Amino acid sequence: MERDYIAKVLFNPVTKSIIMIQDKKVIGGVSFRPFLEQKFAEIVFLAVSSKSQNKGLGRTILAHLKTYCRSELQIFDLLTYADNKATGFFQKQGFSNRIRIDPKRWKGYIKDYELSTLMHCVIYPKVDYLKLNETIEQQKQNLYHLIQVISNRQIFYSGLCFSEEVKEIPFDKIPGIDKEFATQIKNQYSLQLKPSLKELVDYLKNHPSIWPFLQPVDPHFAPDYDKVVKNPIDLSIIEKKVENLEYFDQIHFIEDIELMCRNCFLYNNKETVFYQSGQAILIAFRKKVKSMKKAKKLL
């Protein structure tokens, strides 16, 4: 801009200015034109001394401008044509290229400038722009306090303790784990694991030696079975547990298959066909698990 144009605008009686002085020298300022009937003001110039830039002075000057417009002029809208290199600065000060006031209020009142962007800022009546940093900090503290009230993130739980007696802790028994959340995690793991476990069940169902384990032991053929075997289980029970997503890890599934075979060994003599079937199933099962792990179907 030419000096004559700048001087003409600055010394126009309509134009008002807010200047910042340090050591009796002007280091920055803003010139603006209030349009009282139209209820907006146009920022014409905003400048800070090159030696004083990057110190937040531009933000401070605009804070005083917003306070003056709100308190003295009852104006709550600012417009400015920002140099394309300055749009980022104005965005940080609450300006936007989305003009939210009726064009009839400002068109024809302000001059259009090339290589610049028209930007709009709303001045909020209840915001103290001179204490904006303190206000934001107070809002952060209030928000943090609210989070503490509704959250348990500030609660610390003791670590997990394992010993020879306690080698495993159920997921939903870990201190701090919400039971509903634990159930969701379990179901997620169970769904991911179900295809692999189903493949193992189908493999065993097709094994020629599986016939003694397909259904619960008939008490007519083994009347004292429940006295010898305290934790009875068979493949039909295991299959239902797979379908009902009761296995959220492979370990418990493997333990149930091995328990099924151990029950067989506990009740039957080595010479019986039942005992031999249990051995065949256990060997085949372990071999299948090993091959699936190698193929990364089981982790």
Side-chain angles (χ1 to χ4, degrees):
M1 295 181 185
E2 297 180 357
R3 291 186 178 184
D4 291 344
Y5 173 76
I6 295 175
K8 179 181 177 182
V9 173
L10 286 177
F11 292 106
N12 188 320
V14 176
T15 304
K16 295 181 179 292
S17 296
I18 297 175
I19 60 174
M20 181 175 285
I21 299 175
Q22 185 179 58
D23 298 329
K24 297 182 180 181
K25 294 182 179 180
V26 176
I27 60 173
V30 59
S31 295
F32 61 99
R33 293 190 297 181
F35 295 88
L36 299 179
E37 292 184 3
Q38 305 306 116
K39 294 294 184 181
F40 80 92
E42 176 199 13
I43 297 175
V44 185
F45 300 118
L46 173 65
V48 175
S49 170
S50 58
K51 295 181 180 180
S52 303
Q53 290 181 359
N54 300 320
K55 295 181 180 179
L57 300 185
R59 180 179 68 248
T60 302
I61 292 170
L62 282 179
H64 281 275
L65 171 61
K66 293 174 182 177
T67 301
Y68 178 81
C69 287
R70 179 193 64 192
S71 304
E72 303 296 329
L73 305 178
Q74 296 297 301
I75 285 176
F76 301 98
D77 291 290
L78 289 176
L79 290 176
T80 187
Y81 270 98
D83 182 284
N84 288 339
K85 294 181 180 179
T87 53
F89 165 78
F90 279 101
Q91 284 176 344
K92 292 178 181 178
Q93 312 315 315
F95 285 77
S96 169
N97 58 6
R98 180 188 172 195
I99 313 303
R100 291 181 286 175
I101 60 177
D102 190 339
K104 294 179 181 179
R105 286 174 55 190
W106 58 270
K107 279 193 174 182
Y109 289 88
I110 63 176
K111 181 180 178 181
D112 293 332
Y113 294 91
E114 296 181 354
L115 301 177
S116 57
T117 302
L118 181 63
M119 304 190 77
H120 173 222
C121 175
V122 176
I123 301 174
Y124 294 96
K126 295 183 179 181
V127 175
D128 187 346
Y129 291 97
L130 298 179
K131 296 182 179 180
L132 192 57
N133 289 340
E134 294 90 334
T135 302
I136 293 174
E137 185 60 33
Q138 186 60 51
Q139 287 178 334
K140 288 181 179 178
Q141 293 298 324
N142 293 341
L143 182 60
Y144 178 71
H145 176 71
L146 181 61
I147 291 173
Q148 285 187 311
V149 171
I150 64 177
S151 170
N152 63 358
R153 290 293 298 274
Q154 72 276 12
I155 301 175
F156 295 92
Y157 298 90
S158 59
L160 301 179
C161 296
F162 292 89
S163 62
E164 291 185 0
E165 293 78 19
V166 180
K167 296 183 179 180
E168 179 181 310
I169 298 177
F171 188 76
D172 54 356
K173 300 298 181 183
I174 298 175
I177 298 294
D178 182 81
K179 289 186 177 181
E180 183 177 350
F181 174 71
T183 301
Q184 292 176 356
I185 295 297
K186 282 183 177 181
N187 289 341
Q188 183 178 354
Y189 287 150
S190 299
L191 281 171
Q192 293 175 349
L193 195 59
K194 182 178 178 179
S196 298
L197 299 188
K198 195 171 184 309
E199 181 178 338
L200 281 167
V201 170
D202 291 341
Y203 170 78
L204 292 178
K205 286 172 70 175
N206 292 319
H207 195 281
S209 297
I210 196 62
W211 58 272
F213 307 99
L214 291 174
Q215 297 294 330
V217 174
D218 191 336
H220 290 92
F221 294 102
D224 59 343
Y225 187 82
D226 59 341
K227 296 180 181 179
V228 177
V229 176
K230 301 303 181 183
N231 297 303
I233 193 168
D234 62 87
L235 197 61
S236 68
I237 293 174
I238 294 172
E239 187 174 21
K240 287 180 182 178
K241 290 176 71 174
V242 171
E243 291 297 325
N244 295 333
L245 304 178
E246 295 182 41
Y247 294 111
F248 60 93
D249 61 44
Q250 58 171 296
I251 296 174
H252 290 86
F253 175 83
I254 293 173
E255 287 178 348
D256 277 355
I257 296 294
E258 295 197 348
L259 173 63
M260 181 181 73
C261 295
R262 286 199 307 274
N263 288 342
C264 174
F265 302 150
L266 179 64
Y267 186 78
N268 299 284
N269 294 323
K270 291 184 179 181
E271 295 78 15
T272 63
V273 66
F274 302 107
Y275 194 102
Q276 293 169 5
S277 293
Q279 283 184 318
I281 289 298
L282 191 57
I283 292 172
F285 174 71
R286 288 175 176 174
K287 185 176 180 180
K288 179 65 175 177
V289 168
K290 187 176 180 180
S291 67
M292 289 181 67
K293 285 184 176 181
K294 189 174 181 180
K296 296 185 178 181
K297 290 185 177 182
L298 280 175
L299 300 178

